[in-house]
Amino acid sequence: MEVWDGVSGSRISFDWASVGMPAAKAPGEDPTIIAYMTENANLTAALLKRLDELGGVSIMDNTRVSNIALGEDSDTLDLRSWPILNLSNGRTLAARLLIGSDGAQSPVRNFAGIESRGWDYERHGVVATLRLSDSPWQEAPYRTAYQRFLPTGPIALLPLPGPYASLVWSTLPSHAAHLKSLSPEDFVATVNAAFRLPPVDIAYMHRIPSGQVSELAWRTQHTPPPSNPSLIPPSASALQADTVASFPLRLRHAATYVGERVALVGDAAHTIHPLAGQGLNQGQGDVAALVGVVERAVREGADVGSVMALEAYDAERWAKNNALLGVVDKLHKLYSVGSGPIVGLRSLGLSAVDRMGWAKGLLMQAAAGVR
């Protein structure tokens, strides 16, 4: 993975060969790979296949939860601490443990009365799928991800199977709206410019309503190319239809991940800036930790929905996620500065870390979830 400062040009390259330590991989995996990009459709299909293999799971499609409330005491059952879910298909479910994996606006979190704190970044994330031009350094056995930090937000190009890549561009809301208004050709030209031109040129391309293709061609003639072409991504050649979307970026963190018969995972518990690509990884870490806590409660004969049983999950995940949220938030603020002494200081720091293999190795292990 290549990461660099769009203002100063200082950069850091992430690969296991340069850090002097073994890759955080299982036996038989390619040691050059530091991460995998998995499309959501493939991940979902694999999970559904595994659920089908395990059995004992009911999946209700095209069904929403219309209401969540505490149950009542009756002659046969005391459900006063149990969440009761009313579904749109007319069914009613009583939950010994209700897991909220229902997104940043989590109804489960609201039902549990768990406060979520944070702030908006005044940035939008623009995503799209792009076709890349042919590049000899982007062929098998591995491909490279690229991220450039611009004053308005980082832009990243993440490899997908075949000649495709996923774009994630964090930028100003006005820029996001402008990008979505462009023709496919001008959109692609603006993306290519964001990885190649100085920030002042990129800002100009955001101000013109059209003509980015010719503007990029002219400005590229007057911009020195990199010494090594593999330091920047291959040029995007086309935009896949109907893949451009945007969403507001926010930091949110729940005050706790657990309540009586409630546990929160993923975006219901925390939302993070996408610059480090850790949102899904955090959610998977939550699920793994919660599974371990539930398994232990079952083995010991405890009530899996009690706060006493669940608090080990909160203890394991809350502080770890909070630390990562803080680091990513500080990185966003650090690289939002476009001039002055901070630019020089952060550039020195980035270059220094790039020369310290052990430091890069620790960062890569943390990102891989082995630390």
Side-chain angles (χ1 to χ4, degrees):
M1 181 175 186
E2 296 289 337
V3 180
W4 71 102
D5 189 325
V7 177
S8 69
S10 64
R11 68 172 51 238
I12 185 169
S13 299
F14 291 104
D15 68 277
W16 290 113
S18 69
V19 301
M21 62 173 62
K25 300 295 170 189
E29 286 189 289
D30 190 331
T32 61
I33 296 172
I34 65 171
Y36 291 92
M37 280 288 295
T38 303
E39 294 173 283
N40 186 59
N42 294 332
L43 183 61
T44 302
L47 291 172
L48 290 173
K49 181 175 181 292
R50 182 57 177 156
L51 286 174
D52 184 60
E53 293 170 352
L54 293 171
V57 178
S58 297
I59 298 176
M60 285 170 273
D61 290 323
N62 301 315
T63 304
R64 62 181 179 84
V65 177
S66 55
N67 186 57
I68 309 174
L70 290 174
E72 299 177 352
D73 187 12
S74 68
D75 294 337
T76 55
L77 289 173
D78 183 1
L79 299 179
R80 287 175 295 179
S81 67
W82 286 47
I84 306 299
L85 288 74
N86 295 318
L87 308 182
S88 59
N89 61 7
R91 293 187 61 183
T92 299
L93 302 177
R96 181 182 294 274
L97 172 60
L98 176 60
I99 299 173
S101 181
D102 48 352
Q105 305 301 322
S106 172
V108 172
R109 188 184 65 233
N110 293 336
F111 157 75
I114 298 174
E115 184 179 0
S116 180
R117 306 183 184 96
W119 47 82
D120 295 350
Y121 282 117
E122 303 300 330
R123 296 290 190 275
H124 279 206
V126 178
V127 295
T129 300
L130 301 169
R131 184 183 179 89
L132 304 181
S133 58
D134 294 334
S135 300
W137 65 91
Q138 283 291 94
E139 296 177 355
Y142 65 90
R143 296 171 62 194
T144 303
Y146 296 87
Q147 184 173 47
R148 187 187 190 194
F149 281 90
L150 300 169
T152 52
I155 179 172
L157 207 57
L158 310 172
L160 293 173
Y164 295 96
S166 178
L167 170 74
V168 184
W169 190 347
S170 304
T171 189
L172 300 174
S174 59
H175 288 180
H178 179 252
L179 286 167
K180 292 194 293 183
S181 73
L182 297 175
S183 68
E185 295 76 16
D186 283 340
F187 182 96
V188 168
T190 307
V191 170
N192 287 330
F195 283 105
R196 290 162 174 78
L197 300 184
V200 65
D201 291 350
I202 301 169
Y204 176 77
M205 294 185 71
H206 278 300
R207 291 197 296 267
I208 58 177
S210 61
Q212 279 77 7
V213 173
S214 58
E215 193 67 35
L216 173 63
W218 183 84
R219 291 178 183 270
T220 301
Q221 299 175 12
H222 303 279
T223 302
S227 56
N228 182 347
S230 67
L231 295 178
I232 60 174
S235 296
S237 58
L239 171 66
Q240 192 172 90
D242 302 320
T243 62
V244 179
S246 68
F247 52 92
L249 303 182
R250 302 183 176 97
L251 182 150
R252 294 288 188 275
H253 202 193
T256 178
Y257 294 173
V258 300
E260 189 66 27
R261 306 204 177 281
V262 168
L264 305 176
V265 299
D267 284 0
H270 43 74
T271 56
I272 190 171
H273 194 291
L275 69 85
Q278 290 298 304
L280 177 60
N281 291 347
Q282 280 187 302
Q284 290 176 326
D286 295 343
V287 172
L290 183 58
V291 167
V293 168
V294 171
E295 286 180 338
R296 184 162 59 250
V298 171
R299 284 197 307 269
E300 297 173 355
D303 183 348
V304 298
S306 69
V307 172
M308 183 175 296
L310 295 171
E311 60 186 7
Y313 162 63
D314 187 65
E316 179 179 348
R317 293 300 297 169
W318 194 95
K320 184 178 293 186
N321 285 333
N322 193 63
L324 183 57
L325 288 168
V327 169
V328 172
D329 180 62
K330 300 304 182 293
L331 283 173
H332 163 73
K333 292 174 180 174
L334 180 65
Y335 280 93
S336 293
V337 178
S339 61
I342 290 180
V343 174
L345 291 173
R346 77 187 183 205
S347 299
L348 287 173
L350 189 66
S351 298
V353 173
D354 188 46
R355 291 191 293 269
M356 294 186 288
W358 63 271
K360 283 201 295 185
L362 293 177
L363 291 173
M364 291 162 66
Q365 287 182 335
V370 298
R371 279 189 172 271

